[in-house]
Amino acid sequence: MTNIDSKLVGKLRDMTGAALMDCKRALQEANGDLEAAVDILRKKGLKNADKRAGRKAGAGRVHSIVSPDGRRGAMVLMTSETDFVPPTDDFKSLLERITQVAYDKRIGNASALLEQTLEGAPVAEALKALTGKCGENVEAPSVACFEVAKGAVGGYIHHDMKTAGFAAISTGASAAVAQEFLKELGMHIVFSRPQALERSQIPAEAVERERAVYAESDEVKSKPEDRRAKIVEGKLEKFFAGVALLEQPWFKDDKTTVRKKLTEALGADAKVEGFALFVVGA
């Protein structure tokens, strides 16, 4: 039997919320493979074996800048190790300045932002300088920048400034109406945490992994063999509705979808061009 390190068992428990002995047995069966152990727990019908979002330790804040006409915007998440650092003037000032860089240079990813110049030096050096000053590791792990020719960019930052949803929409509706919907869409993104805009963007390997878990689950294997394929497909449809933004049930009314709500609020020509979810510690 594979000897499993207790730290690995603890990590699986933190990821899934499953009992320690269940985690140990799953890791032994998976020969120490963490992701395979998660799937084993799910196949055995342990409902709390789904990964929990936001479990990682950390602190930080989100900041955004949107153009006066609402058609271009940038959002940046900057993090530290504890909650003592984000409220400081040094942290807030640097976050505002690097968000301005992302906005001005139209930077939409973290690695590109680090290479940009801020006051004569790379953004990466400014983060290192603050790290040295405050004694905590300071990073900017999440960046988004959107721009539309016709429509609006905007979203929602939660009151604790640790989670945010940001999106861009093409629409012929007025800027005021579009911004109002974007705020609600941002709330939905924070609440529902989509992984992709639509199902076609979900990696094939992720879909096949889900299919395999469902097919081998105790629940499905207990059904008549001639019904299993249909049951698995039904579960996949629920999976897509859970992770694809446009298919998700609207956070204020689960009897409609984001796609339908978008059309209802902004018209049939409205289209979500992109979105981003920001979560401290994710």
PDB file of all heavy atoms in Angstrom, residues 68-102:
ATOM      1  N   PRO A  68     -14.251  57.814 -19.544  1.00  0.00           N
ATOM      2  CA  PRO A  68     -15.467  58.633 -19.391  1.00  0.00           C
ATOM      3  C   PRO A  68     -16.626  58.175 -20.269  1.00  0.00           C
ATOM      4  O   PRO A  68     -17.790  58.265 -19.863  1.00  0.00           O
ATOM      5  CB  PRO A  68     -14.989  60.035 -19.775  1.00  0.00           C
ATOM      6  CG  PRO A  68     -13.529  60.044 -19.429  1.00  0.00           C
ATOM      7  CD  PRO A  68     -13.051  58.659 -19.767  1.00  0.00           C
ATOM      8  N   ASP A  69     -16.315  57.657 -21.471  1.00  0.00           N
ATOM      9  CA  ASP A  69     -17.397  57.194 -22.340  1.00  0.00           C
ATOM     10  C   ASP A  69     -17.799  55.746 -22.047  1.00  0.00           C
ATOM     11  O   ASP A  69     -18.727  55.210 -22.664  1.00  0.00           O
ATOM     12  CB  ASP A  69     -17.023  57.355 -23.820  1.00  0.00           C
ATOM     13  CG  ASP A  69     -15.842  56.485 -24.241  1.00  0.00           C
ATOM     14  OD1 ASP A  69     -15.358  55.667 -23.431  1.00  0.00           O
ATOM     15  OD2 ASP A  69     -15.396  56.631 -25.403  1.00  0.00           O
ATOM     16  N   GLY A  70     -17.091  55.108 -21.115  1.00  0.00           N
ATOM     17  CA  GLY A  70     -17.451  53.764 -20.690  1.00  0.00           C
ATOM     18  C   GLY A  70     -17.052  52.654 -21.639  1.00  0.00           C
ATOM     19  O   GLY A  70     -17.410  51.500 -21.413  1.00  0.00           O
ATOM     20  N   ARG A  71     -16.254  52.966 -22.660  1.00  0.00           N
ATOM     21  CA  ARG A  71     -15.947  51.955 -23.675  1.00  0.00           C
ATOM     22  C   ARG A  71     -14.600  51.255 -23.485  1.00  0.00           C
ATOM     23  O   ARG A  71     -14.282  50.328 -24.217  1.00  0.00           O
ATOM     24  CB  ARG A  71     -16.016  52.587 -25.071  1.00  0.00           C
ATOM     25  CG  ARG A  71     -17.429  52.986 -25.448  1.00  0.00           C
ATOM     26  CD  ARG A  71     -17.506  53.576 -26.825  1.00  0.00           C
ATOM     27  NE  ARG A  71     -18.885  53.950 -27.159  1.00  0.00           N
ATOM     28  CZ  ARG A  71     -19.230  54.577 -28.269  1.00  0.00           C
ATOM     29  NH1 ARG A  71     -18.296  54.910 -29.162  1.00  0.00           N
ATOM     30  NH2 ARG A  71     -20.491  54.885 -28.491  1.00  0.00           N
ATOM     31  N   ARG A  72     -13.823  51.726 -22.545  1.00  0.00           N
ATOM     32  CA  ARG A  72     -12.542  51.060 -22.245  1.00  0.00           C
ATOM     33  C   ARG A  72     -12.348  51.032 -20.742  1.00  0.00           C
ATOM     34  O   ARG A  72     -12.702  51.979 -20.039  1.00  0.00           O
ATOM     35  CB  ARG A  72     -11.371  51.790 -22.903  1.00  0.00           C
ATOM     36  CG  ARG A  72      -9.996  51.209 -22.520  1.00  0.00           C
ATOM     37  CD  ARG A  72      -8.936  51.556 -23.556  1.00  0.00           C
ATOM     38  NE  ARG A  72      -8.766  52.976 -23.751  1.00  0.00           N
ATOM     39  CZ  ARG A  72      -7.734  53.693 -23.268  1.00  0.00           C
ATOM     40  NH1 ARG A  72      -6.809  53.111 -22.526  1.00  0.00           N
ATOM     41  NH2 ARG A  72      -7.643  54.983 -23.530  1.00  0.00           N
ATOM     42  N   GLY A  73     -11.799  49.924 -20.251  1.00  0.00           N
ATOM     43  CA  GLY A  73     -11.575  49.831 -18.821  1.00  0.00           C
ATOM     44  C   GLY A  73     -10.528  48.796 -18.481  1.00  0.00           C
ATOM     45  O   GLY A  73     -10.261  47.874 -19.253  1.00  0.00           O
ATOM     46  N   ALA A  74      -9.913  48.983 -17.324  1.00  0.00           N
ATOM     47  CA  ALA A  74      -8.917  48.025 -16.831  1.00  0.00           C
ATOM     48  C   ALA A  74      -9.190  47.747 -15.369  1.00  0.00           C
ATOM     49  O   ALA A  74      -9.669  48.616 -14.634  1.00  0.00           O
ATOM     50  CB  ALA A  74      -7.509  48.570 -17.005  1.00  0.00           C
ATOM     51  N   MET A  75      -8.880  46.530 -14.941  1.00  0.00           N
ATOM     52  CA  MET A  75      -9.037  46.145 -13.549  1.00  0.00           C
ATOM     53  C   MET A  75      -7.817  45.328 -13.135  1.00  0.00           C
ATOM     54  O   MET A  75      -7.326  44.497 -13.909  1.00  0.00           O
ATOM     55  CB  MET A  75     -10.316  45.325 -13.343  1.00  0.00           C
ATOM     56  CG  MET A  75     -10.604  44.975 -11.886  1.00  0.00           C
ATOM     57  SD  MET A  75     -12.208  44.137 -11.662  1.00  0.00           S
ATOM     58  CE  MET A  75     -13.355  45.513 -11.748  1.00  0.00           C
ATOM     59  N   VAL A  76      -7.310  45.593 -11.926  1.00  0.00           N
ATOM     60  CA  VAL A  76      -6.121  44.910 -11.423  1.00  0.00           C
ATOM     61  C   VAL A  76      -6.371  44.444  -9.994  1.00  0.00           C
ATOM     62  O   VAL A  76      -6.939  45.171  -9.179  1.00  0.00           O
ATOM     63  CB  VAL A  76      -4.884  45.835 -11.450  1.00  0.00           C
ATOM     64  CG1 VAL A  76      -3.672  45.145 -10.811  1.00  0.00           C
ATOM     65  CG2 VAL A  76      -4.552  46.253 -12.883  1.00  0.00           C
ATOM     66  N   LEU A  77      -5.921  43.232  -9.704  1.00  0.00           N
ATOM     67  CA  LEU A  77      -5.907  42.707  -8.342  1.00  0.00           C
ATOM     68  C   LEU A  77      -4.465  42.696  -7.853  1.00  0.00           C
ATOM     69  O   LEU A  77      -3.584  42.141  -8.517  1.00  0.00           O
ATOM     70  CB  LEU A  77      -6.470  41.284  -8.309  1.00  0.00           C
ATOM     71  CG  LEU A  77      -6.218  40.475  -7.028  1.00  0.00           C
ATOM     72  CD1 LEU A  77      -6.911  41.117  -5.836  1.00  0.00           C
ATOM     73  CD2 LEU A  77      -6.679  39.034  -7.207  1.00  0.00           C
ATOM     74  N   MET A  78      -4.218  43.321  -6.712  1.00  0.00           N
ATOM     75  CA  MET A  78      -2.887  43.305  -6.090  1.00  0.00           C
ATOM     76  C   MET A  78      -3.006  42.648  -4.726  1.00  0.00           C
ATOM     77  O   MET A  78      -3.961  42.923  -3.988  1.00  0.00           O
ATOM     78  CB  MET A  78      -2.333  44.724  -5.964  1.00  0.00           C
ATOM     79  CG  MET A  78      -0.816  44.766  -5.821  1.00  0.00           C
ATOM     80  SD  MET A  78      -0.146  46.444  -6.089  1.00  0.00           S
ATOM     81  CE  MET A  78      -0.276  47.115  -4.439  1.00  0.00           C
ATOM     82  N   THR A  79      -2.079  41.766  -4.388  1.00  0.00           N
ATOM     83  CA  THR A  79      -2.195  40.973  -3.168  1.00  0.00           C
ATOM     84  C   THR A  79      -0.999  41.136  -2.246  1.00  0.00           C
ATOM     85  O   THR A  79       0.089  41.525  -2.663  1.00  0.00           O
ATOM     86  CB  THR A  79      -2.343  39.474  -3.498  1.00  0.00           C
ATOM     87  OG1 THR A  79      -1.171  39.030  -4.212  1.00  0.00           O
ATOM     88  CG2 THR A  79      -3.572  39.219  -4.345  1.00  0.00           C
ATOM     89  N   SER A  80      -1.239  40.791  -0.987  1.00  0.00           N
ATOM     90  CA  SER A  80      -0.189  40.721   0.021  1.00  0.00           C
ATOM     91  C   SER A  80      -0.466  39.491   0.876  1.00  0.00           C
ATOM     92  O   SER A  80      -1.409  38.744   0.604  1.00  0.00           O
ATOM     93  CB  SER A  80      -0.188  41.984   0.888  1.00  0.00           C
ATOM     94  OG  SER A  80      -1.425  42.109   1.569  1.00  0.00           O
ATOM     95  N   GLU A  81       0.335  39.284   1.904  1.00  0.00           N
ATOM     96  CA  GLU A  81       0.173  38.080   2.713  1.00  0.00           C
ATOM     97  C   GLU A  81      -0.869  38.225   3.811  1.00  0.00           C
ATOM     98  O   GLU A  81      -1.508  37.244   4.200  1.00  0.00           O
ATOM     99  CB  GLU A  81       1.520  37.688   3.320  1.00  0.00           C
ATOM    100  CG  GLU A  81       2.560  37.288   2.276  1.00  0.00           C
ATOM    101  CD  GLU A  81       3.920  37.041   2.891  1.00  0.00           C
ATOM    102  OE1 GLU A  81       3.978  36.420   3.975  1.00  0.00           O
ATOM    103  OE2 GLU A  81       4.933  37.474   2.313  1.00  0.00           O
ATOM    104  N   THR A  82      -1.028  39.423   4.360  1.00  0.00           N
ATOM    105  CA  THR A  82      -1.986  39.631   5.450  1.00  0.00           C
ATOM    106  C   THR A  82      -2.844  40.853   5.172  1.00  0.00           C
ATOM    107  O   THR A  82      -2.549  41.663   4.284  1.00  0.00           O
ATOM    108  CB  THR A  82      -1.271  39.850   6.802  1.00  0.00           C
ATOM    109  OG1 THR A  82      -0.640  41.142   6.804  1.00  0.00           O
ATOM    110  CG2 THR A  82      -0.224  38.765   7.055  1.00  0.00           C
ATOM    111  N   ASP A  83      -3.889  41.018   5.969  1.00  0.00           N
ATOM    112  CA  ASP A  83      -4.810  42.143   5.798  1.00  0.00           C
ATOM    113  C   ASP A  83      -4.265  43.461   6.333  1.00  0.00           C
ATOM    114  O   ASP A  83      -4.923  44.496   6.203  1.00  0.00           O
ATOM    115  CB  ASP A  83      -6.135  41.834   6.510  1.00  0.00           C
ATOM    116  CG  ASP A  83      -6.971  40.807   5.764  1.00  0.00           C
ATOM    117  OD1 ASP A  83      -7.027  40.894   4.524  1.00  0.00           O
ATOM    118  OD2 ASP A  83      -7.559  39.922   6.411  1.00  0.00           O
ATOM    119  N   PHE A  84      -3.079  43.441   6.927  1.00  0.00           N
ATOM    120  CA  PHE A  84      -2.512  44.679   7.458  1.00  0.00           C
ATOM    121  C   PHE A  84      -1.985  45.600   6.365  1.00  0.00           C
ATOM    122  O   PHE A  84      -1.932  46.819   6.535  1.00  0.00           O
ATOM    123  CB  PHE A  84      -1.367  44.359   8.437  1.00  0.00           C
ATOM    124  CG  PHE A  84      -1.819  43.664   9.683  1.00  0.00           C
ATOM    125  CD1 PHE A  84      -1.574  42.316   9.870  1.00  0.00           C
ATOM    126  CD2 PHE A  84      -2.519  44.353  10.678  1.00  0.00           C
ATOM    127  CE1 PHE A  84      -2.002  41.666  11.022  1.00  0.00           C
ATOM    128  CE2 PHE A  84      -2.943  43.720  11.832  1.00  0.00           C
ATOM    129  CZ  PHE A  84      -2.685  42.362  12.010  1.00  0.00           C
ATOM    130  N   VAL A  85      -1.575  45.038   5.236  1.00  0.00           N
ATOM    131  CA  VAL A  85      -0.905  45.827   4.199  1.00  0.00           C
ATOM    132  C   VAL A  85      -1.855  46.544   3.236  1.00  0.00           C
ATOM    133  O   VAL A  85      -1.652  47.728   2.933  1.00  0.00           O
ATOM    134  CB  VAL A  85       0.089  44.940   3.417  1.00  0.00           C
ATOM    135  CG1 VAL A  85       0.698  45.701   2.242  1.00  0.00           C
ATOM    136  CG2 VAL A  85       1.196  44.443   4.353  1.00  0.00           C
ATOM    137  N   PRO A  86      -2.916  45.916   2.704  1.00  0.00           N
ATOM    138  CA  PRO A  86      -3.770  46.586   1.710  1.00  0.00           C
ATOM    139  C   PRO A  86      -4.343  47.941   2.114  1.00  0.00           C
ATOM    140  O   PRO A  86      -4.501  48.812   1.242  1.00  0.00           O
ATOM    141  CB  PRO A  86      -4.878  45.552   1.460  1.00  0.00           C
ATOM    142  CG  PRO A  86      -4.207  44.243   1.704  1.00  0.00           C
ATOM    143  CD  PRO A  86      -3.299  44.502   2.865  1.00  0.00           C
ATOM    144  N   PRO A  87      -4.666  48.190   3.403  1.00  0.00           N
ATOM    145  CA  PRO A  87      -5.209  49.510   3.739  1.00  0.00           C
ATOM    146  C   PRO A  87      -4.166  50.633   3.757  1.00  0.00           C
ATOM    147  O   PRO A  87      -4.535  51.801   3.871  1.00  0.00           O
ATOM    148  CB  PRO A  87      -5.786  49.306   5.160  1.00  0.00           C
ATOM    149  CG  PRO A  87      -5.914  47.837   5.324  1.00  0.00           C
ATOM    150  CD  PRO A  87      -4.796  47.258   4.539  1.00  0.00           C
ATOM    151  N   THR A  88      -2.891  50.301   3.648  1.00  0.00           N
ATOM    152  CA  THR A  88      -1.856  51.333   3.736  1.00  0.00           C
ATOM    153  C   THR A  88      -1.837  52.216   2.495  1.00  0.00           C
ATOM    154  O   THR A  88      -2.202  51.777   1.395  1.00  0.00           O
ATOM    155  CB  THR A  88      -0.462  50.713   3.931  1.00  0.00           C
ATOM    156  OG1 THR A  88      -0.121  49.945   2.765  1.00  0.00           O
ATOM    157  CG2 THR A  88      -0.429  49.814   5.155  1.00  0.00           C
ATOM    158  N   ASP A  89      -1.387  53.443   2.665  1.00  0.00           N
ATOM    159  CA  ASP A  89      -1.311  54.378   1.541  1.00  0.00           C
ATOM    160  C   ASP A  89      -0.365  53.876   0.461  1.00  0.00           C
ATOM    161  O   ASP A  89      -0.619  54.066  -0.732  1.00  0.00           O
ATOM    162  CB  ASP A  89      -0.860  55.758   2.036  1.00  0.00           C
ATOM    163  CG  ASP A  89      -1.933  56.451   2.872  1.00  0.00           C
ATOM    164  OD1 ASP A  89      -3.120  56.069   2.749  1.00  0.00           O
ATOM    165  OD2 ASP A  89      -1.580  57.363   3.638  1.00  0.00           O
ATOM    166  N   ASP A  90       0.754  53.257   0.865  1.00  0.00           N
ATOM    167  CA  ASP A  90       1.719  52.755  -0.116  1.00  0.00           C
ATOM    168  C   ASP A  90       1.090  51.704  -1.021  1.00  0.00           C
ATOM    169  O   ASP A  90       1.289  51.710  -2.241  1.00  0.00           O
ATOM    170  CB  ASP A  90       2.935  52.145   0.600  1.00  0.00           C
ATOM    171  CG  ASP A  90       3.845  53.197   1.207  1.00  0.00           C
ATOM    172  OD1 ASP A  90       3.815  54.355   0.746  1.00  0.00           O
ATOM    173  OD2 ASP A  90       4.599  52.860   2.146  1.00  0.00           O
ATOM    174  N   PHE A  91       0.340  50.785  -0.422  1.00  0.00           N
ATOM    175  CA  PHE A  91      -0.300  49.716  -1.192  1.00  0.00           C
ATOM    176  C   PHE A  91      -1.355  50.301  -2.129  1.00  0.00           C
ATOM    177  O   PHE A  91      -1.374  49.993  -3.331  1.00  0.00           O
ATOM    178  CB  PHE A  91      -0.940  48.701  -0.239  1.00  0.00           C
ATOM    179  CG  PHE A  91      -1.490  47.472  -0.915  1.00  0.00           C
ATOM    180  CD1 PHE A  91      -0.743  46.306  -0.973  1.00  0.00           C
ATOM    181  CD2 PHE A  91      -2.759  47.467  -1.492  1.00  0.00           C
ATOM    182  CE1 PHE A  91      -1.251  45.160  -1.593  1.00  0.00           C
ATOM    183  CE2 PHE A  91      -3.269  46.344  -2.116  1.00  0.00           C
ATOM    184  CZ  PHE A  91      -2.508  45.186  -2.160  1.00  0.00           C
ATOM    185  N   LYS A  92      -2.230  51.134  -1.582  1.00  0.00           N
ATOM    186  CA  LYS A  92      -3.316  51.707  -2.391  1.00  0.00           C
ATOM    187  C   LYS A  92      -2.773  52.567  -3.533  1.00  0.00           C
ATOM    188  O   LYS A  92      -3.279  52.521  -4.653  1.00  0.00           O
ATOM    189  CB  LYS A  92      -4.261  52.514  -1.506  1.00  0.00           C
ATOM    190  CG  LYS A  92      -5.086  51.649  -0.558  1.00  0.00           C
ATOM    191  CD  LYS A  92      -6.142  52.450   0.184  1.00  0.00           C
ATOM    192  CE  LYS A  92      -5.537  53.327   1.248  1.00  0.00           C
ATOM    193  NZ  LYS A  92      -6.586  54.002   2.069  1.00  0.00           N
ATOM    194  N   SER A  93      -1.729  53.321  -3.249  1.00  0.00           N
ATOM    195  CA  SER A  93      -1.145  54.176  -4.275  1.00  0.00           C
ATOM    196  C   SER A  93      -0.546  53.361  -5.420  1.00  0.00           C
ATOM    197  O   SER A  93      -0.754  53.675  -6.601  1.00  0.00           O
ATOM    198  CB  SER A  93      -0.064  55.071  -3.656  1.00  0.00           C
ATOM    199  OG  SER A  93       0.629  55.791  -4.656  1.00  0.00           O
ATOM    200  N   LEU A  94       0.192  52.302  -5.070  1.00  0.00           N
ATOM    201  CA  LEU A  94       0.802  51.475  -6.119  1.00  0.00           C
ATOM    202  C   LEU A  94      -0.272  50.765  -6.934  1.00  0.00           C
ATOM    203  O   LEU A  94      -0.167  50.685  -8.167  1.00  0.00           O
ATOM    204  CB  LEU A  94       1.764  50.461  -5.510  1.00  0.00           C
ATOM    205  CG  LEU A  94       2.499  49.561  -6.520  1.00  0.00           C
ATOM    206  CD1 LEU A  94       3.259  50.394  -7.557  1.00  0.00           C
ATOM    207  CD2 LEU A  94       3.443  48.599  -5.808  1.00  0.00           C
ATOM    208  N   LEU A  95      -1.296  50.278  -6.284  1.00  0.00           N
ATOM    209  CA  LEU A  95      -2.388  49.610  -7.004  1.00  0.00           C
ATOM    210  C   LEU A  95      -3.035  50.566  -7.998  1.00  0.00           C
ATOM    211  O   LEU A  95      -3.294  50.203  -9.154  1.00  0.00           O
ATOM    212  CB  LEU A  95      -3.426  49.084  -6.016  1.00  0.00           C
ATOM    213  CG  LEU A  95      -4.700  48.478  -6.613  1.00  0.00           C
ATOM    214  CD1 LEU A  95      -4.381  47.354  -7.584  1.00  0.00           C
ATOM    215  CD2 LEU A  95      -5.628  47.992  -5.499  1.00  0.00           C
ATOM    216  N   GLU A  96      -3.293  51.785  -7.577  1.00  0.00           N
ATOM    217  CA  GLU A  96      -3.904  52.772  -8.481  1.00  0.00           C
ATOM    218  C   GLU A  96      -2.982  53.079  -9.656  1.00  0.00           C
ATOM    219  O   GLU A  96      -3.442  53.206 -10.806  1.00  0.00           O
ATOM    220  CB  GLU A  96      -4.217  54.051  -7.701  1.00  0.00           C
ATOM    221  CG  GLU A  96      -5.368  53.885  -6.717  1.00  0.00           C
ATOM    222  CD  GLU A  96      -5.516  55.095  -5.796  1.00  0.00           C
ATOM    223  OE1 GLU A  96      -4.743  56.070  -5.976  1.00  0.00           O
ATOM    224  OE2 GLU A  96      -6.392  55.053  -4.913  1.00  0.00           O
ATOM    225  N   ARG A  97      -1.691  53.189  -9.388  1.00  0.00           N
ATOM    226  CA  ARG A  97      -0.744  53.537 -10.450  1.00  0.00           C
ATOM    227  C   ARG A  97      -0.555  52.407 -11.458  1.00  0.00           C
ATOM    228  O   ARG A  97      -0.467  52.650 -12.670  1.00  0.00           O
ATOM    229  CB  ARG A  97       0.599  53.945  -9.840  1.00  0.00           C
ATOM    230  CG  ARG A  97       0.554  55.344  -9.205  1.00  0.00           C
ATOM    231  CD  ARG A  97       1.906  55.731  -8.631  1.00  0.00           C
ATOM    232  NE  ARG A  97       2.199  54.985  -7.424  1.00  0.00           N
ATOM    233  CZ  ARG A  97       3.420  54.569  -7.070  1.00  0.00           C
ATOM    234  NH1 ARG A  97       4.455  54.797  -7.861  1.00  0.00           N
ATOM    235  NH2 ARG A  97       3.596  53.912  -5.949  1.00  0.00           N
ATOM    236  N   ILE A  98      -0.504  51.158 -10.997  1.00  0.00           N
ATOM    237  CA  ILE A  98      -0.321  50.074 -11.970  1.00  0.00           C
ATOM    238  C   ILE A  98      -1.617  49.808 -12.734  1.00  0.00           C
ATOM    239  O   ILE A  98      -1.582  49.352 -13.879  1.00  0.00           O
ATOM    240  CB  ILE A  98       0.234  48.786 -11.329  1.00  0.00           C
ATOM    241  CG1 ILE A  98      -0.757  48.157 -10.342  1.00  0.00           C
ATOM    242  CG2 ILE A  98       1.576  49.053 -10.675  1.00  0.00           C
ATOM    243  CD1 ILE A  98      -0.282  46.813  -9.807  1.00  0.00           C
ATOM    244  N   THR A  99      -2.767  50.110 -12.116  1.00  0.00           N
ATOM    245  CA  THR A  99      -4.032  50.003 -12.853  1.00  0.00           C
ATOM    246  C   THR A  99      -4.066  51.045 -13.961  1.00  0.00           C
ATOM    247  O   THR A  99      -4.537  50.771 -15.080  1.00  0.00           O
ATOM    248  CB  THR A  99      -5.237  50.189 -11.916  1.00  0.00           C
ATOM    249  OG1 THR A  99      -5.168  49.256 -10.843  1.00  0.00           O
ATOM    250  CG2 THR A  99      -6.545  49.979 -12.676  1.00  0.00           C
ATOM    251  N   GLN A 100      -3.537  52.220 -13.674  1.00  0.00           N
ATOM    252  CA  GLN A 100      -3.453  53.264 -14.699  1.00  0.00           C
ATOM    253  C   GLN A 100      -2.560  52.825 -15.850  1.00  0.00           C
ATOM    254  O   GLN A 100      -2.866  53.086 -17.020  1.00  0.00           O
ATOM    255  CB  GLN A 100      -2.905  54.562 -14.092  1.00  0.00           C
ATOM    256  CG  GLN A 100      -2.963  55.762 -15.025  1.00  0.00           C
ATOM    257  CD  GLN A 100      -4.377  56.243 -15.291  1.00  0.00           C
ATOM    258  OE1 GLN A 100      -5.128  56.530 -14.368  1.00  0.00           O
ATOM    259  NE2 GLN A 100      -4.751  56.331 -16.570  1.00  0.00           N
ATOM    260  N   VAL A 101      -1.470  52.129 -15.527  1.00  0.00           N
ATOM    261  CA  VAL A 101      -0.581  51.601 -16.572  1.00  0.00           C
ATOM    262  C   VAL A 101      -1.334  50.591 -17.439  1.00  0.00           C
ATOM    263  O   VAL A 101      -1.260  50.634 -18.674  1.00  0.00           O
ATOM    264  CB  VAL A 101       0.670  50.936 -15.951  1.00  0.00           C
ATOM    265  CG1 VAL A 101       1.480  50.209 -17.024  1.00  0.00           C
ATOM    266  CG2 VAL A 101       1.543  51.981 -15.263  1.00  0.00           C
ATOM    267  N   ALA A 102      -2.052  49.675 -16.795  1.00  0.00           N
ATOM    268  CA  ALA A 102      -2.821  48.675 -17.546  1.00  0.00           C
ATOM    269  C   ALA A 102      -3.852  49.346 -18.446  1.00  0.00           C
ATOM    270  O   ALA A 102      -4.047  48.934 -19.603  1.00  0.00           O
ATOM    271  CB  ALA A 102      -3.514  47.713 -16.576  1.00  0.00           C
TER     272      ALA A 102
END
